[in-house]
């Protein structure tokens, strides 16, 4: 193991142990069924238990895992999908990640950092489409220090175009120190995301050579523990699938999640599982690339192993993969995504490859994606209520408070959908959306919740009220 960082983190990822668990766990249908039953009770699975699901190979057994993930999603999480968009702020980078077009040694990438006016233009374009939730993405550079990030967050919140506003800003950026997290948190961020990329030490070393803070595995692994210390209690973990054995990475994610839970009483708010995409000047060995089938398996198994955690599936994946995986318990997707710098104000749909981190697979507009979700009976949600009502970290108890989804999530999803339909939807999407709202309201039992919700939806649709939530 690599032990460079001495900031207090014990390296809790033991490669030998994980490899050993994977090697010694063999296919066992009876255990698989027992563990499925356990996760249906929303109990997290230990790495050893997750390995049992990973060892299932027979197609019929894998189908049982798929069916269980679908059932868990349906019974426990309902049919909401939270919608967000990424906004790349700058692609300067001091690191040399082998898989990323932004790496320092890539001379082909045109380096840009959005200034305040550029940020305002991008936000106006995003608001004009109907977005309410963003994730800001940064390369790693001394220029992107805590003050810079905090100032960018404040700028984003300050832009209000027409009825548009951004109500939640998350961050995906390099790990930093506790004082910096405090400054960034004070600007009002939601989740701070850091992906470990690969939990396998040797692969990590191979992928992050040269200089730059990202060469230090342990500093990165400890990044979200420092974030918690700095007051960021909503954190997101992730692994970049395709760098090493996918089963190993799943156990890495599960171990990381349990460690956060153990230390802070709350696990990560979200898990991301980006799959490696083609990127400018990147030519990696395909040995560990994950097939669509295995990708499906890993998403279903993660759903079952970490039943309390939100799962994010990004537009790296093509529409058909997203469509299928959504059923397996994905809770957030991005839509109308552009990953090239200043891409939201570009005309046309052609990406400018010399300014983007990787190629995306789903270039559809926000409205197109929402229409498809509505037609498939999902409720697209722009809800930001928990975070703005202080229900974060330990207080975020979506699954601990009985009836939480009925009381908060579904009504808030419908309210934010109603706003979108009034302000931004195409006529076809509006029609589909209004039909879905009717169907959803019909499912709610008569009572004070239903009448309050009807009153608020009327307020949005008829009297122009906005930002109503429970
Ligand atoms: N620079 C910060 C860092 O590395 O932590 C912020 C994150 S980076 C801009 C966003 C994420 O994109 C990375 O953590 C990595 O997982 C992912 N990524 C990089 N290259 C990729 C590629 N070729 N395909 C898919 N995802 C990629
Ligand atoms: Fe830089 Fe992040 Fe890309 Fe690595 S993944 S080169 S740190 S932007």
């Amino acid at each position: 193991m690599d032990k460079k960082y001495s900031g207090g983190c014990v390296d809790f990822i033991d490669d030998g142990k994980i490899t050993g668990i994977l090697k010694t766990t063999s296919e066992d249908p009876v255990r698989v069924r027992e563990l499925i039953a356990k996760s249906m009770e929303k109990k997290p699975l230990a790495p050893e238990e997750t390995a049992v699901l990973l060892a299932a190979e027979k197609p019929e057994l894998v189908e049982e895992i798929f069916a269980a993930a679908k059932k868990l999603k349906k019974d426990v999480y309902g049919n909401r999908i939270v919608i967000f968009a990424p906004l790349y702020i700058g692609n300067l980078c001091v690191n040399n990640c082998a898989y990323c077009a932004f790496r320092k040694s890539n001379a082909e990438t045109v380096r840009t950092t959005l200034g305040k006016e550029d940020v305002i233009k991008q936000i106006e374009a995003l608001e004009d489409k109907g977005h309410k939730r963003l994730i800001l993405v940064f390369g790693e550079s001394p220029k992107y220090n805590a003050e810079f990030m905090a100032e960018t967050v404040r700028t984003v919140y300050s832009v209000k175009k027409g009825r548009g506003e951004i109500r939640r800003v998350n961050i995906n950026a390099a790990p930093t120190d506790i004082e910096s997290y405090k400054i960034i948190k004070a600007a009002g961020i939601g989740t701070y995301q850091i992906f470990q990329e690969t939990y396998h030490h040797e692969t990590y070393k191979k992928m992050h050579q040269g200089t730059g803070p990202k060469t230090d595995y342990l500093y990165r692994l400890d990044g979200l523990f420092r974030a918690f210390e700095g007051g960021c209690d909503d954190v997101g973990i992730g692994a970049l699938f395709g760098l090493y054995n996918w089963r190993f990475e799943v156990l890495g994610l599960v171990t990381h999640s349990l460690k956060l839970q153990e230390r802070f009483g709350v696990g990560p708010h979200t898990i991301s599982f980006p799959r490696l995409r083609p990127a400018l000047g990147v030519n990696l060995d395909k040995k560990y690339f994950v097939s669509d089938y295995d990708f499906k398996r890993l998403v279903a198994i993660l759903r079952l192993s970490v039943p309390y955690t939100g799962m994010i599936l990004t537009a790296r994946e093509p529409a058909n993969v997203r469509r299928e995986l959504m059923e397996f318990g994905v809770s957030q997707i991005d839509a109308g995504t552009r990953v090239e710098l200043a891409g939201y104000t570009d005309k046309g749909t052609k990406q400018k490859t010399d300014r983007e981190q990787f190629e995306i697979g789903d270039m559809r507009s926000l409205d197109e994606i929402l229409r498809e979700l509505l037609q498939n009976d999902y409720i697209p949600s722009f809800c930001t209520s928990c975070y703005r009502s202080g229900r974060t970290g330990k207080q975020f108890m979506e699954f601990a408070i009985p009836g939480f989804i009925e009381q908060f999530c579904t009504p808030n999803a419908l309210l934010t959908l109603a706003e979108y339909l009034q302000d931004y939807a195409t006529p076809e999407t509006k029609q589909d959306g209004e039909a879905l709202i009717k169907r959803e309201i019909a499912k709610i039992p008569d009572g004070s919740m239903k009448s309050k919700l009807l009153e608020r939806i009327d307020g949005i649709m008829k009297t122009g009220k906005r930002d109503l939530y429970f």
Side-chain angles (χ1 to χ4, degrees):
M1 270 182 245
D2 183 7
K3 290 244 160 56
K4 250 192 280 175
Y5 174 58
S6 58
C9 174
V10 175
D11 193 347
F12 54 85
I13 298 291
D14 183 337
D15 290 12
K17 188 173 166 200
I18 293 181
T19 307
I21 293 174
L22 289 172
K23 255 199 193 135
T24 53
T25 311
S26 49
E27 187 163 52
D28 182 346
V30 175
R31 278 294 283 149
V32 166
R33 285 171 201 137
E34 279 169 14
L35 292 167
I36 285 177
K38 181 173 177 183
S39 65
M40 287 300 174
E41 288 169 29
K42 288 181 279 164
K43 291 188 182 140
L45 303 185
E48 290 79 0
E49 295 174 320
T50 304
V52 174
L53 302 184
L54 292 168
E57 288 293 346
K58 278 201 199 74
E60 311 84 75
L61 201 53
V62 175
E63 283 304 323
E64 284 185 42
I65 291 174
F66 290 162
K70 277 187 202 172
K71 188 162 166 28
L72 189 72
K73 153 88 183 167
K74 206 157 170 249
D75 296 357
V76 181
Y77 299 86
N79 54 347
R80 282 165 307 129
I81 294 279
V82 171
I83 307 290
F84 70 96
L87 175 63
Y88 278 72
I89 300 296
N91 64 1
L92 297 178
C93 199
V94 295
N95 296 312
N96 240 329
C97 311
Y99 42 81
C100 177
F102 293 168
R103 71 191 181 284
K104 187 181 171 188
S105 62
N106 188 1
E108 288 175 87
T109 287
V110 177
R111 305 286 164 176
T112 323
T113 301
L114 303 188
K116 188 168 178 167
E117 289 310 310
D118 305 318
V119 171
I120 293 172
K121 279 191 198 132
Q122 295 304 303
I123 298 301
E124 287 180 343
L126 284 156
E127 288 179 358
D128 278 347
K129 297 273 185 255
H131 281 290
K132 298 283 186 280
R133 307 172 56 107
L134 296 187
I135 182 149
L136 305 185
V137 187
F138 299 82
E140 181 159 7
S141 157
K143 185 169 173 161
Y144 310 147
N145 59 18
E147 251 323 310
F148 177 87
M149 285 196 210
E151 187 53 29
T152 310
V153 172
R154 286 191 287 267
T155 301
V156 172
Y157 282 129
S158 73
V159 179
K160 316 245 181 223
K161 172 122 188 270
R163 281 180 160 161
E165 61 179 345
I166 300 301
R167 298 177 184 153
R168 176 168 175 139
V169 177
N170 299 329
I171 298 272
N172 184 319
T176 183
D177 53 64
I178 294 173
E179 285 313 306
S180 298
Y181 285 121
K182 285 185 188 162
I183 294 170
I184 299 165
K185 176 69 185 174
I189 64 155
T191 310
Y192 202 105
Q193 274 186 1
I194 302 170
F195 303 159
Q196 186 64 21
E197 319 296 11
T198 172
Y199 286 92
H200 186 251
H201 290 74
E202 201 186 308
T203 307
Y204 188 94
K205 212 175 204 166
K206 238 192 280 170
M207 293 294 155
H208 306 102
Q209 291 184 2
T211 53
K214 206 163 166 179
T215 53
D216 194 335
Y217 179 105
L218 207 45
Y219 183 74
R220 195 166 180 89
L221 191 64
D222 198 33
L224 291 173
F225 293 83
R226 294 193 302 278
F228 258 100
E229 307 276 353
C232 301
D233 56 0
D234 265 7
V235 300
I237 63 173
L240 180 54
F241 282 87
L243 303 179
Y244 187 61
N245 179 348
W246 62 270
R247 293 179 177 83
F248 187 102
E249 306 297 10
V250 168
L251 293 193
L253 287 168
V254 168
T255 308
H256 197 170
S257 169
L258 290 171
K259 269 286 157 197
L260 285 163
Q261 169 82 38
E262 186 185 301
R263 181 132 150 224
F264 299 105
V266 57
H269 187 65
T270 54
I271 290 197
S272 300
F273 30 87
R275 191 162 54 151
L276 204 57
R277 296 285 304 162
L280 185 69
V282 171
N283 199 1
L284 287 178
D285 188 353
K286 297 200 168 39
K287 181 171 174 197
Y288 293 113
F289 280 18
V290 181
S291 68
D292 285 355
Y293 180 66
D294 287 344
F295 194 53
K296 242 168 88 169
R297 289 167 73 187
L298 80 85
V299 174
I301 291 170
L302 275 174
R303 174 66 300 148
L304 296 172
S305 295
V306 287
Y308 285 99
T309 307
M311 295 194 12
I312 303 181
L313 180 65
T314 69
R316 288 175 181 84
E317 298 299 333
N320 62 321
V321 172
R322 298 232 281 178
R323 207 169 286 133
E324 197 175 359
L325 285 181
M326 210 101 73
E327 288 185 276
F328 291 176
V330 167
S331 52
Q332 294 193 25
I333 61 166
D334 53 340
T337 300
R338 293 290 172 273
V339 294
E340 67 270 35
L341 272 291
Y344 292 106
T345 47
D346 280 349
K347 298 275 175 276
T349 53
K350 178 123 184 49
Q351 286 175 276
K352 292 205 173 56
T353 48
D354 59 359
R355 285 180 298 161
E356 70 184 13
Q357 195 188 9
F358 47 79
E359 288 173 23
I360 60 172
D362 188 353
M363 293 284 288
R364 291 175 299 164
S365 69
L366 173 63
D367 196 78
E368 265 175 282
I369 291 181
L370 292 195
R371 197 179 326 142
E372 182 179 286
L373 289 173
L374 293 165
Q375 287 170 353
N376 291 329
D377 231 15
Y378 287 106
I379 316 174
S381 174
F382 296 91
C383 178
T384 53
S385 152
C386 278
Y387 147 75
R388 290 159 79 217
S389 311
R391 298 191 297 261
T392 63
K394 254 189 179 164
Q395 274 64 51
F396 175 78
M397 293 192 287
E398 183 169 353
F399 307 106
I401 299 176
F404 190 100
I405 291 177
E406 291 77 18
Q407 202 184 335
F408 295 104
C409 306
T410 303
N412 286 332
L414 295 174
L415 290 170
T416 57
L417 174 62
E419 285 187 348
Y420 176 85
L421 300 178
Q422 275 307 96
D423 297 340
Y424 305 103
T426 55
E428 300 80 17
T429 304
K430 187 161 191 225
Q431 199 181 348
D432 289 340
E434 288 177 351
L436 179 119
I437 291 178
K438 271 203 193 110
R439 289 200 299 279
E440 288 296 327
I441 286 179
K443 290 185 202 162
I444 302 173
D446 289 338
S448 80
M449 161 53 72
K450 186 166 182 162
S451 42
K452 271 190 215 150
L453 176 61
L454 282 170
E455 196 184 302
R456 288 180 195 194
I457 289 187
D458 246 26
I460 291 169
M461 298 289 212
K462 298 193 181 135
T463 55
K465 289 201 175 130
R466 291 294 173 271
D467 203 14
L468 303 174
Y469 55 89
F470 292 94

